[in-house]
């Protein structure tokens, strides 16, 4: 990239006009869209800027931003000025696009493919209850509203009398039961030439507190890409440090929840690794099978060996040398060993083992950068939130042994991935 001007502002204008073609928006909250909106009125580039996101995100822009009230309609829909064009992305990827590892990825600009997944980012804070939620113990205005609706409640009295009982006594609790989970999203962004990817979150809440937990689906999509070394980094929010209580998360993460989510990811990665065709482990299994059958003359040989050996490889020993020699020659398991019953007993023994004690599970996320974004500034003296968050993540990592590298991003930072 060539820099043409001594003026940072001119360079910024040039980059925006000529180099940035498409904006990937995770959700339409103001802190995520204001810069884009303000700059749409600047000098236009050669063609309309593309605004990409979930259909619900695009709909929010149409209805609430580019509506000739909050901002002129600069879009190319509804007789707008045509400086912005909307791209409604298919959630979970576009099945007809791409092939191989790039299947489902939409080429969003030259050489870059994207795949979008929706995630949960809190739920609405109106006064109606949310099924299965802890909404009745939520904060401030909500509780006061609930109190006002109850016969004995009055604004200001909620702290003393406690919101949960007030809420139960309120007529609002019978009105309707609905889940109004707020949608955000995460993008896999793929360099088509190398297959290298990053996973970019906007705002997201933990599965463990969500009314609509969806992060696990993303971890399952990410796992094979980590297992094969193609996913270089995950950019994920951590808005607050661990002192933030659950009823004040507002659909965000804290270090303990980042770790919890990374542990869920680590588990899926281990499963993906075990599913990978691995020449070394296949060889090892065959070697163990041979050793077990060779030692079968003395029945005690297999029993005395306390290495964790799969039922498949111990079984030939029980059958004796004459029946295993065939298997040894063919290099494959005998049909008898491949019966469903045998497979089920194998599965059972594998899954019954406590996976966290498997040494392979330690450092499951090795090589992965976890870049923390969206740290909310406290604007007070004392430790910077970014320092507290990093310290809390690193402290938790000592126990979790995930093996990933935590980085708290800063403005203007670059990453070589
Ligand atoms: Zn948000
Ligand atoms: Zn935000």
């Amino acid at each position: 990239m060539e820099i043409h001007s001594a003026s940072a502002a001119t360079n910024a204008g040039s980059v925006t006009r000529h180099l940035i073609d498409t904006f990937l928006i995770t959700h339409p909250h103001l802190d995520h869209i204001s810069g884009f909106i303000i700059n749409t009125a600047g000098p236009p580039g050669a063609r309309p800027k593309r605004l990409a996101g979930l259909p619900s995100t695009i709909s929010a822009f149409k209805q609430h931003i580019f509506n000739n009230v909050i901002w002129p309609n600069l879009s190319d829909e509804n007789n707008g000025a045509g400086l912005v064009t909307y791209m409604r992305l298919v959630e979970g990827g576009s099945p007809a696009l791409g092939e191989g590892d790039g299947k489902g990825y939409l080429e969003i600009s030259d050489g870059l493919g994207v795949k979008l997944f929706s995630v949960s980012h809190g739920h609405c804070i109106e006064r109606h209850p949310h099924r299965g939620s802890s909404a009745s113990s939520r904060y401030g205005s909500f509780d006061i509203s609930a109190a006002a609706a109850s016969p004995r409640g009055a604004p200001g009295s909620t702290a003393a009398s406690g919101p949960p009982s007030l809420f139960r006594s309120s007529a609002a609790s019978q009105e309707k039961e609905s889940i109004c989970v707020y949608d955000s999203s995460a993008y896999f962004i793929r360099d088509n030439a190398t297959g290298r990817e990053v996973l970019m979150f906007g705002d997201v809440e933990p599965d463990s507190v969500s009314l609509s937990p969806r992060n696990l689906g993303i971890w399952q999509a990410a796992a094979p890409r980590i297992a094969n070394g193609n996913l270089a980094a995950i950019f994920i929010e951590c808005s607050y440090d661990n002192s933030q209580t659950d009823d004040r998360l507002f659909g965000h993460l804290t270090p303990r929840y980042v770790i919890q989510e990374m542990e869920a990811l680590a588990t899926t990665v281990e499963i993906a690794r075990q599913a990978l065709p691995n020449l070394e482990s296949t060889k090892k299994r065959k070697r163990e099978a041979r050793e077990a059958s060779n030692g079968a003359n003395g029945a005690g040989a297999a029993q005395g060996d306390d290495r964790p050996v799969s039922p498949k490889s111990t079984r030939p020993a029980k059958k004796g040398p004459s029946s295993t020699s065939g298997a040894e020659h063919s290099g494959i398991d005998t049909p008898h060993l491949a019966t469903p019953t045998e497979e089920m007993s194998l599965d059972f023994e594998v899954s019954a083992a406590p996976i966290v004690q498997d040494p392979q599970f330690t450092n499951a996320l090795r090589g992965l950068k976890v870049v923390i974004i969206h740290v909310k500034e406290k604007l007070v003296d004392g430790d910077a939130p970014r320092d507290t968050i990093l310290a809390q993540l690193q402290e938790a990592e000592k126990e979790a042994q995930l093996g990933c590298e935590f980085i708290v991003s800063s403005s203007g930072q670059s990453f070589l991935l």
Side-chain angles (χ1 to χ4, degrees), residues 27-32 121 182 184 202-204 237 250-252 374:
H27 67 296
H29 274 164
L30 202 53
D31 56 324
H32 295 254
H121 174 27
Y182 190 86
S184 179
D203 295 349
V204 60
E237 71 132 289
F250 304 106
H252 291 295
H374 205 271

Side-chain angles (χ1 to χ4, degrees), residues 215-294:
N215 297 339
L216 184 60
I218 296 183
W219 303 143
Q220 286 165 341
R225 301 171 192 286
I226 295 175
N228 69 17
N230 277 340
L231 185 64
I234 296 176
F235 292 75
I236 191 164
E237 71 132 289
C238 186
S239 295
Y240 311 108
D241 65 40
N242 280 336
S243 67
Q244 196 81 2
T245 54
D246 282 2
D247 61 341
R248 293 257 167 180
L249 286 180
F250 304 106
H252 291 295
L253 298 177
T254 59
R256 67 175 172 279
Y257 288 121
V258 171
I259 293 287
Q260 197 179 71
E261 292 294 338
M262 289 303 111
E263 285 174 334
L265 173 62
T267 305
T268 61
V269 170
E270 272 317 310
I271 293 167
R273 281 211 176 97
Q274 283 159 16
L276 271 184
N278 184 331
L279 196 59
E280 273 311 301
S281 71
T282 308
K283 280 182 187 163
K284 191 177 162 210
R285 269 201 304 278
K286 286 187 180 163
R287 193 170 62 240
E288 281 173 353
R290 265 198 306 277
E291 283 167 8
S293 63
N294 289 343

